[in-house]
Amino acid sequence: MMWNWWFWLCLALCTADQYRDEAVRIMNETPLIDGHNDLPWQILKKFNGQLQLSEANLYYLEGTHTNIPKLKTGFVGGQFWSAYVPCDTQNKDAVKRTLEQIDLIHRMCQTYPETFLCASSPADIRLAFQQKKVASLIGVEGGHSIDSSLGVLRAMYYLGVRYMTLTHNCNTPWADNWQVDTGNDKAQSHGLSEFGEEVVKEMNRLGVMIDLAHVSVATMEAVLSVSQAPVIFSHSSAYQLCPHRRNVPDHILQLVNKTRSLVMVNFYNQYVSCQKEANLSQVADHLDYIKNTAGPEAVGFGGDYDGVDDVPTGLQDVSGYPDLIAELLRRNWTETEVKNALAYNLLRVFDEVEQASSHSVLPNENFIEFSELQDTCRTSYGYQDYSQQDHSHQHRPGVLPVVLTLPLLYLWQP
């Protein structure tokens, strides 16, 4: 009887090692791309963004889910770092604060060039894979960061931003957030406003991925009908398994399949189990469910590390990814399905977003109506309804006088 027990125990341990070894082999070939990590926010809070402080050294950083050794142990080869600022910056200093977080991500690459390669294209990610570095991409978390300005959106694209979450936990003047679905917030746009559609179209033109994590279901539906390119949910899970309004309901998963879009599963316990505690197996359940409902090309990883406090047992930090991959292999995921989820699904969406972009088309110069903005601390230069101000010394917005245009055209001649 004792020998029988030992036999089954040894068999279980050997099998477990087999799946873990297979996960390591696969991840050596195809590193993981994660859709959302808030380490830059932690660096801001802990060190006011000062990377050169000795205690901010990313090789030895403590008290976070993420540091360089953990990334290497987790076989993370691509990371969308979140340029996040809270909703209370909206209509205040959101743009400034977001620019500082974008700058911080660039400084991470400059401070640790042996580890991080700042990336802004699928080709850059593939290059980072070849060089065994972490492709470091920028995602802006919350449309409030552009202050309802297509010009700011474009400027952030030029600085390397390659996805924007349309809302965080608050409405923008042009899109509704997920708390509308709970009744804790009032619908303003009932999905997308007319200007919200212009934001989506300009993101398509530029090649900025549209992220629908944090938005209301009506906003999801509106974007999926307007966007000419696939979209992502950078850190969301399956509503059917955990009915939290931050998760993706089944009818949206069907649209994700139809539009060749992508859901990157969130590890926050409240979105995994709808309880304070969760475990690795339950995260695998979400990955299974999305793969089976939306298709194997529609699933990825968006851990939300360093943006949440409670993460599942077995996935305490970014080093735990190989154990999750081993669990998927144990559940009979094929090597192709695993590699797709690790990297190729995101690369495919990124490629298609770039293919749908059109930089030969002139930028969208539409603007949101001034009446739709909170104007406590803002000026109204450029708007047509500011009759009380003296504009005799100003040119019309967007119009360059002919006297300046002709010399410039002469100078630009090849």
Side-chain angles (χ1 to χ4, degrees), residues 117-374:
L117 175 68
C118 272
S120 60
S121 70
D124 290 342
I125 297 174
R126 295 181 175 101
L127 178 62
F129 282 5
Q130 293 172 9
Q131 296 182 357
K132 302 297 183 183
K133 295 181 180 181
V134 180
S136 295
L137 301 107
I138 304 172
V140 165
E141 188 178 18
H144 60 282
S145 284
I146 65 168
D147 197 23
S148 300
S149 167
L150 297 181
V152 172
L153 170 65
R154 286 188 287 271
M156 289 184 178
Y157 170 81
Y158 302 143
L159 292 173
V161 171
R162 288 301 179 267
Y163 82 59
M164 183 175 73
T165 320
L166 296 193
T167 72
H168 193 247
N169 298 336
C170 54
N171 293 337
T172 65
W174 41 271
D176 291 339
N177 83 101
W178 66 274
Q179 295 197 87
V180 167
D181 296 330
T182 69
N184 291 333
D185 216 340
K186 292 183 179 179
Q188 284 180 240
S189 303
H190 301 281
L192 280 178
S193 71
E194 185 175 335
F195 182 74
E197 292 187 8
E198 299 294 334
V199 173
V200 167
K201 291 174 183 176
E202 188 66 354
M203 291 176 74
N204 284 166
R205 187 193 71 82
L206 287 168
V208 178
M209 287 182 281
I210 297 164
D211 178 21
L212 298 183
H214 286 280
V215 306
S216 70
V217 171
T219 304
M220 296 177 195
E221 293 168 346
V223 171
L224 286 164
S225 68
V226 171
S227 178
Q228 297 300 304
V231 306
I232 65 170
F233 292 77
S234 69
H235 55 304
S236 296
S237 298
Y239 183 84
Q240 185 67 26
L241 298 187
C242 171
H244 193 290
R245 288 298 183 178
R246 267 284 281 106
N247 287 338
V248 187
D250 276 6
H251 78 284
I252 298 296
L253 289 178
Q254 297 295 334
L255 292 175
V256 166
N257 173 272
K258 182 178 179 181
T259 57
R260 295 174 56 79
S261 295
L262 178 65
V263 178
M264 309 181 85
V265 170
N266 192 311
F267 295 0
Y268 181 38
N269 288 353
Q270 292 290 341
Y271 305 158
V272 172
S273 66
C274 286
Q275 298 177 9
K276 187 165 179 64
E277 304 295 330
N279 58 51
L280 180 151
S281 179
Q282 290 171 306
V283 174
D285 290 343
H286 282 268
L287 290 158
D288 264 340
Y289 188 86
I290 292 168
K291 176 172 79 78
N292 294 332
T293 305
E297 293 189 346
V299 64
F301 304 88
D304 207 2
Y305 282 116
D306 284 311
V308 296
D309 294 326
D310 301 320
V311 292
T313 302
L315 291 168
Q316 283 89 343
D317 57 50
V318 297
S319 69
Y321 284 116
D323 294 320
L324 180 56
I325 299 306
E327 175 63 19
L328 298 181
L329 292 169
R330 190 175 292 109
R331 296 179 180 213
N332 296 316
W333 281 46
T334 67
E335 183 170 333
T336 297
E337 290 172 340
V338 167
K339 287 184 173 181
N340 283 345
L342 284 170
Y344 296 140
N345 287 342
L346 185 281
L347 285 168
R348 189 259 310 160
V349 169
F350 204 168
D351 280 329
E352 292 185 18
V353 168
E354 284 201 336
Q355 290 162 14
S357 68
S358 183
H359 288 261
S360 62
V361 175
L362 290 174
N364 185 334
E365 295 186 341
N366 291 333
F367 53 85
I368 194 168
E369 292 298 327
F370 193 75
S371 60
E372 297 178 44
L373 300 170
Q374 293 185 22

